[in-house]
Amino acid sequence: MEKFGFLSFGNYGPGRGSKVVDAHASLHQAIDLSVRADELGVNGAYFRVHHFARQQSAPMTLLAAIAARTKHIEVGTGVIDLRYENPLYLAEEAASLDIIADQRIALGMSRGSPETVTRGYESFGYTGSKDPRGADIARVKFDQFIAAIDGEGIAAGDPRMTGSDRPQPIRPLSPGLKNRIWWGSATRDSAEWAGRQGVNLMSSTLLTEDAGIPFADLQAEQIDRFRAAWDEAGHPGKPRVSVSRSVFPLINDLDRAYFGSTDSDQVGVIDGYRSTFGKTYAAEPDVLIEQLRADAAVMSADTLMLTIPVALGVDFNAHILESFATHVAPALGWNPADRQSPVGAASVIA
């Protein structure tokens, strides 16, 4: 583990004890927490994307606002639901965000999570899926998105405007943007697919399969298969891999009151699939260090995303991040964002 960030599910609502009662609070607190995290050297601020729910649904505006207020932290998603997206407009947004953020982005995307509505993407105008879960159109849209950010010609030029009918790319283009795109994978097979596509891997706290082995070992196998597929496809360089975990250092009595008990791996059914869920880690820092060192997937990945209890507000979540940064992360190989070589803007922006 070289980097760590926080993954916010963005939930808001007037629930008991919630400090995030509405969308205004959710968005502004997301920005404030990201600024606090940037000051701590935390490497990333990532947000789940859900439609028809009290969560973040239009992430590009939020990520641009965070990028404008921070200096080092990576801003991203975990994940954008491609079933709801126009891939060409998304490509324009992604390139614009990449430029604003000086290449500090990590956009995770995939078919998306189980919905609160039935085939909600069809209400957005995206029909034609023959898959009950819409995975087929998500893959097609991803191909179109990648082609667009790579600068391929999309629409025939009007000779009266461009001098020829040569296909024109989307604008703006941000060189190397594909290197900052991630595929959100919940299976070993989809991880191999991501490796063949030449994009980074974002693995979650659950896998929609059950192989009868501990979650961390199953996820480590997923990562191994992703990297093998990347190498077999002949892609240059080394891909990035992230995993997410619920991790709470117990530093004071309030921490113990909230997270004093832990759980273990669980197997259940989600979205019709028998799935394996990762456990929550909550312990004193020295115990956490040993537990996370024993987690094969955490140690195999370069980036760890800490899922945070959003409803507890900015101050408490900043405390969690600071506790992890101070007492746990250095022992796992953490390289703070403000000590890394600056990314800098691309030398040529089309």
Side-chain angles (χ1 to χ4, degrees):
M1 187 207 86
E2 301 170 6
K3 305 178 182 182
F4 88 88
F6 70 85
L7 174 62
S8 170
F9 282 54
N11 307 76
Y12 60 87
R16 181 179 178 182
S18 174
K19 298 182 183 299
V20 191
V21 297
D22 55 22
H24 181 277
S26 175
L27 290 166
H28 282 272
Q29 289 190 29
I31 296 169
D32 291 344
L33 180 59
S34 299
V35 171
R36 298 272 291 272
D38 190 48
E39 293 168 351
L40 290 169
V42 173
N43 304 90
Y46 314 100
F47 298 87
R48 290 287 295 269
V49 181
H50 286 278
H51 301 280
F52 298 105
R54 290 176 174 173
Q55 293 176 258
Q56 308 299 351
S57 59
M60 294 304 195
T61 304
L62 173 61
L63 299 184
I66 293 171
R69 291 274 307 275
T70 56
K71 296 179 180 179
H72 306 287
I73 200 168
E74 186 174 68
V75 297
T77 53
V79 295
I80 293 171
D81 188 332
L82 284 170
R83 296 172 295 183
Y84 285 80
E85 298 291 335
N86 177 314
L88 301 184
Y89 186 66
L90 180 63
E92 292 176 335
E93 286 188 309
S96 297
L97 173 63
D98 199 44
I99 293 167
I100 290 170
D102 290 335
Q103 301 179 312
R104 290 182 290 124
I105 72 169
L107 291 183
M109 49 190 68
S110 75
R111 186 214 70 182
S113 302
E115 299 187 274
T116 56
V117 298
T118 302
R119 298 175 75 91
Y121 45 91
E122 293 184 343
S123 298
F124 276 53
Y126 302 118
T127 59
S129 173
K130 295 179 172 54
D131 184 324
R133 301 175 181 84
D136 51 352
I137 62 172
R139 293 279 181 95
V140 170
K141 289 183 178 188
F142 188 70
D143 290 343
Q144 294 170 334
F145 169 81
I146 293 296
I149 65 171
D150 274 350
E152 292 188 17
I154 302 298
D158 184 338
R160 295 170 297 178
M161 302 292 290
T162 64
S164 76
D165 60 357
R166 183 166 58 102
Q168 300 295 304
I170 60 110
R171 302 288 182 187
L173 291 171
S174 186
L177 176 55
K178 185 179 177 182
N179 297 331
R180 295 174 286 283
I181 302 302
W182 305 59
W183 183 257
S185 170
T187 67
R188 290 167 292 182
D189 288 345
S190 63
E192 289 182 345
W193 179 85
R196 292 192 294 271
Q197 300 306 305
V199 293
N200 304 302
L201 178 68
M202 191 173 285
S203 187
S204 185
T205 50
L206 68 89
L207 296 174
T208 53
E209 52 188 341
D210 173 25
I213 60 177
F215 172 80
D217 294 338
L218 180 60
Q219 193 171 45
E221 181 187 335
Q222 178 197 35
I223 294 170
D224 288 343
R225 288 171 61 165
F226 161 74
R227 287 175 173 148
W230 175 285
D231 291 340
E232 185 177 347
H235 298 299
K238 180 181 178 182
R240 288 182 59 190
V241 175
S242 73
V243 298
S244 57
R245 294 286 187 274
S246 297
V247 181
F248 304 106
L250 302 183
I251 304 298
N252 56 38
D253 289 342
L254 186 57
D255 296 334
R256 296 181 185 91
Y258 278 131
F259 308 110
S261 60
T262 59
D263 58 17
S264 57
D265 292 352
Q266 300 179 47
V267 175
V269 176
I270 185 169
D271 205 20
Y273 293 103
R274 186 171 173 82
S275 304
T276 308
F277 301 78
K279 65 183 179 180
T280 295
Y281 291 99
E284 280 66 26
D286 57 337
V287 176
L288 277 183
I289 290 169
E290 295 308 312
Q291 290 177 334
L292 293 172
R293 281 176 173 167
D295 187 312
V298 168
M299 299 313 294
S300 179
D302 61 81
T303 302
L304 173 61
M305 298 182 181
L306 303 182
T307 59
I308 58 171
V310 179
L312 296 182
V314 173
D315 287 340
F316 189 79
N317 281 296
H319 160 69
I320 292 173
L321 297 176
E322 184 173 12
S323 296
F324 189 81
T326 302
H327 301 290
V328 180
L332 302 178
W334 176 47
N335 184 12
D338 58 0
R339 297 179 199 165
Q340 296 177 9
S341 299
V343 176
S347 58
V348 177
I349 296 176

